[in-house]
Amino acid sequence: MKRLLIALLAGACMLSACSAKEDRPSTVISVSSAIEASAISDETMSFSEPEPDPKNEWESDSPESHQMEPALLEQMHTALKDAPVYAVLTVKDGVIVDEYYQEGYDESSAYAFHSASKSMTSALFGIAMEEGYIGSVDDLLSDYLPQVLQLEDTRKHSLTLRHLLTHTSGLEWYEWGGSYSNWEEFRSSENWVDYILDRRLVYDPGSVFNYSTGNTHLLAAALEKATGKGLFDYAKEKLFDPMGMDSASWGTDPQGIADGGNGVVLSARDAAKFGQLFLDGGVWNGEQLVPADWVAESTTAKNNGAGDGTGQYGYQWWTRQFNGYDTYYAFGAWGQYIFVVPELELVTVIASPGPQSSYASRDYFTNYILPACQG
């Protein structure tokens, strides 16, 4: 150590001498000053506080503290016993007021939300448009998937992103009602995008609602092309990580394109975060994650949907009244729901196994949860 200090002092002296010979001001810092500065720097670094993590954990409170009738919720729990439902979770005024899990499941369990995934793809579309990756909902699909222009039916060249968002592409698809479905054929195809684009055009684009996970898959493929990122990676960056949605995963097709219309797996608590995000106008922990105008626009009806009790359709969200309250919701096969009721500051998540009627579990929302708000 003594030899090192002597060498440093000698070097400093030599530099000072050279500086004097050249008759210009010295820029040499003394060894003692350098050591002192280093010590101060190390001390400052050792005492610096890390930035606090965002508050992403749910708080809980009693339902009666939020004008909900607990007796009705207890009745629901009794009705849920041994029912084909994994979980029912309700958030009121930003806190969990009721949480039910079937035996063997808890807040850490994750569930396939099936077509409720479509609403998350829509949210990412709104973010991508805000960031300039997407021009507008009226952009041609071929702007992002140029192979569309190679399709023999030239009417497909006019397909827009709006047509996909509203399920009005006109492409032949059998998924909603009826005894025949091309679902298994679609899922077992070697290339999902090619399979969808090769479907016959049976309606003029924009003219008829026909529910199709194929439409949303094309939307996911376009988003990945536009952003240059996998949809799950983009979702983690823009939504899942900032919101602490650690349970999230997202399936893909054989080419690795995210299954935008069906592939999201989440816990009930993380699904509720997504509903709360939209209830709060796209804001989470004070940060605007989804553009407020997209939240409003995507949850506003654009057509009458399938013309049944499911409701009208926005941009990958369903909307209708339940028990007199305007509601919009993400909806998946076999009873997956994320209900948002702005007037009540209410979010309810239902996760269910299948196969079963997709509407059976909805009764717990309409027969117990909403009446509990009126009790």
Side-chain angles (χ1 to χ4, degrees), residues 67-69 72-73 323 325 344 346 363-375:
Q67 294 75 53
M68 291 188 72
E69 176 53 60
L72 276 171
L73 298 176
N323 297 25
Y325 294 106
L344 296 175
L346 181 79
D363 290 346
Y364 298 105
F365 177 67
T366 57
N367 294 350
Y368 296 98
I369 294 169
L370 287 179
C373 294
Q374 301 164 320

Side-chain angles (χ1 to χ4, degrees), residues 7-31:
L8 289 169
L9 287 168
C13 292
M14 289 176 66
L15 286 169
S16 296
C18 291
S19 176
K21 284 181 181 178
E22 293 175 8
D23 196 27
R24 58 189 179 203
S26 173
T27 58
V28 178
I29 301 173
S30 71
V31 174

Side-chain angles (χ1 to χ4, degrees), residues 248-312:
S249 62
W250 206 321
T252 65
D253 74 3
Q255 282 65 49
I257 298 168
D259 183 4
N262 192 67
V264 173
V265 175
L266 288 172
S267 69
R269 287 190 170 199
D270 281 348
K273 289 179 180 179
F274 182 69
Q276 188 69 37
L277 173 70
F278 266 66
L279 178 62
D280 290 338
V283 174
W284 184 263
N285 281 332
E287 184 180 355
Q288 191 78 51
L289 299 184
V290 180
D293 57 352
W294 184 256
V295 171
E297 188 68 19
S298 62
T299 58
T300 299
K302 303 294 182 288
N303 57 53
N304 288 325
D308 57 16
T310 314
Q312 298 176 304

Side-chain angles (χ1 to χ4, degrees), residues 48 78 91 108 204 208 272 335:
S48 60
T78 300
V91 174
S108 66
D204 290 334
V208 175

Side-chain angles (χ1 to χ4, degrees), residues 13 74 128 189 233 324 335 370:
C13 292
E74 286 302 320
S189 64
D233 290 336
L370 287 179

Side-chain angles (χ1 to χ4, degrees), residues 168-249:
T168 58
S169 67
L171 294 169
E172 183 181 30
W173 204 266
Y174 303 99
E175 187 176 345
W176 193 270
S179 57
Y180 171 72
S181 169
N182 64 300
W183 180 259
E184 291 302 327
E185 184 178 280
F186 158 53
R187 304 295 279 192
S188 62
S189 64
E190 293 182 0
N191 187 305
W192 292 6
V193 170
D194 287 349
Y195 174 87
I196 300 160
L197 291 175
D198 286 342
R199 301 294 291 175
R200 290 187 309 133
L201 196 68
V202 292
Y203 305 109
D204 290 334
S207 63
V208 175
F209 175 91
N210 184 29
Y211 188 86
S212 164
T213 294
N215 289 328
T216 316
H217 195 65
L218 292 180
L219 198 65
L223 278 169
E224 292 196 354
K225 279 284 190 178
T227 63
K229 301 174 183 179
L231 199 62
F232 181 52
D233 290 336
Y234 192 55
K236 281 175 64 66
E237 177 187 342
K238 301 299 178 182
L239 292 178
F240 297 160
D241 285 352
M243 298 174 68
M245 295 171 66
D246 298 330
S247 69
S249 62

